[in-house]
């Protein structure tokens, strides 16, 4: 007796054509809105934030140049490295303390202290970056002056080091790369190997948190 095999019919998933027009219009509107927001964020970063950052750097750098005896090259270079290292080691403890403070009962005084500390941290970090850069430039000018061959030699040496560490992308700067702000932890910043440094097992509470 010959048996007949009947293929099971599987319902087809609704295609884009079968979807209601209201859903399609909603998706199109959201897509256009995201593109406009992204464009506006990029323009705001380019024409508002970038000039303010450059003005802060150039103004502070120029003020240090006018008071050169108080800001020697080696002092700025070493102090900038020290502050950078300190901030890198305190990333996780400060983030943990900030997260605990947010989950704690609301207190206006603690909120004000946290706001002040975060602004002081941001300014101190900017000063560390600026002193690191300015100190490095001044040290190179001190030992290599403005001669072409030493400048090319030190540039090639540093480039080889960046290639070896796979960190050449750190040479990118606006307008070749634009990073928009995202909702991230205040004390968090990327490092080469993205390692987390925990000072101790218990959560660290800075003096301003008490």
């Amino acid at each position: 007796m010959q048996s007949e095999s009947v293929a099971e019919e599987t319902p087809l998933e609704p295609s884009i054509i079968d979807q209601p027009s209201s859903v399609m219009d909603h998706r199109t509107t959201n897509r256009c809105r995201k593109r406009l927001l992204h464009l506006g964020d990029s323009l705001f970063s380019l024409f508002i934030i970038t000039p303010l950052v450059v003005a802060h750097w150039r103004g502070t750098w120029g003020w240090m140049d006018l008071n050169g005896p108080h800001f020697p090259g080696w002092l700025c270079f070493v102090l900038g490295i020290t502050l950078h290292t300190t901030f890198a080691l305190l990333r996780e403890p400060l983030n943990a303390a900030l997260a605990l403070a947010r989950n704690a009962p609301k207190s206006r005084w603690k909120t004000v202290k946290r706001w002040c500390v975060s602004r002081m941290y941001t300014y101190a970090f900017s000063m560390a970056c600026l002193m690191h850069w300015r100190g490095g430039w001044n040290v190179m000018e001190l030992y290599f002056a403005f001669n072409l061959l030493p400048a090319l030699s030190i540039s090639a040496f540093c480039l080889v080091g960046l290639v070896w560490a796979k960190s050449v992308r750190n040479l990118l700067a606006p307008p070749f790369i634009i990073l928009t702000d995202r909702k991230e932890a205040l004390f968090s910043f990327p490092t080469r190997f993205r390692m987390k440094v925990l000072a101790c097992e218990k959560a660290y509470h800075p003096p301003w948190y008490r």
Side-chain angles (χ1 to χ4, degrees):
M1 183 176 180
Q2 188 177 2
S3 61
E4 297 180 358
S5 60
V6 180
E8 296 181 358
E9 296 183 359
T10 57
L12 298 177
E13 296 182 357
S15 60
I16 299 178
I17 302 177
D18 298 333
Q19 294 181 358
S21 59
S22 59
V23 177
M24 294 295 297
D25 294 340
H26 182 68
R27 290 183 177 179
T28 304
T29 303
N30 287 340
R31 190 180 299 111
C32 294
R33 182 181 300 175
K34 288 181 179 179
R35 290 178 179 176
L36 289 176
L37 289 175
H38 181 73
L39 177 62
D41 195 6
S42 300
L43 294 176
F44 183 78
S45 301
L46 276 174
F47 297 105
I48 303 296
I49 301 300
T50 300
L52 292 176
V53 172
V54 172
H56 167 70
W57 271 65
R58 186 64 185 92
T60 309
W61 192 308
W63 180 76
M64 288 184 178
D65 287 340
L66 293 176
N67 298 272
H70 300 286
F71 299 97
W74 271 111
L75 176 63
C76 289
F77 187 66
V78 174
L79 186 58
I81 293 177
T82 304
L83 288 175
H84 265 116
T85 305
T86 303
F87 291 147
L89 294 176
L90 292 179
R91 283 184 312 157
E92 303 304 327
L94 289 175
N95 281 328
L98 185 64
L100 290 175
R102 286 179 177 176
N103 296 331
K106 292 184 178 180
S107 173
R108 182 173 299 179
W109 175 240
K110 289 184 178 180
T111 302
V112 172
K113 288 194 296 184
R114 188 166 60 249
W115 185 89
C116 294
V117 169
S118 63
R119 270 50 184 184
M120 292 171 59
Y121 170 85
T122 303
Y123 184 74
F125 204 109
S126 69
M127 292 298 295
C129 294
L130 199 149
M131 286 189 294
H132 197 177
W133 276 76
R134 180 181 177 275
W137 281 112
N138 288 352
V139 169
M140 285 191 291
E141 290 178 2
L142 179 63
Y143 290 98
F144 301 104
F146 296 96
N147 298 321
L148 180 60
L149 184 59
L152 293 177
S153 301
I154 194 66
S155 298
F157 177 78
C158 294
L159 181 60
V160 171
L162 289 174
V163 172
W164 177 78
K166 298 180 180 179
S167 303
V168 182
R169 65 179 181 178
N170 288 286
L171 297 176
L172 296 176
F176 300 102
I177 183 173
I178 301 173
L179 298 178
T180 55
D181 291 333
R182 293 180 297 177
K183 191 175 182 180
E184 297 177 348
L186 174 65
F187 304 102
S188 178
F189 57 92
T191 56
R192 174 60 187 87
F193 299 102
R194 296 177 175 84
M195 297 180 63
K196 294 183 179 181
V197 180
L198 298 178
C200 57
E201 294 182 358
K202 296 182 179 180
Y204 170 76
H205 297 277
W208 57 267
Y209 175 69
R210 299 186 180 90

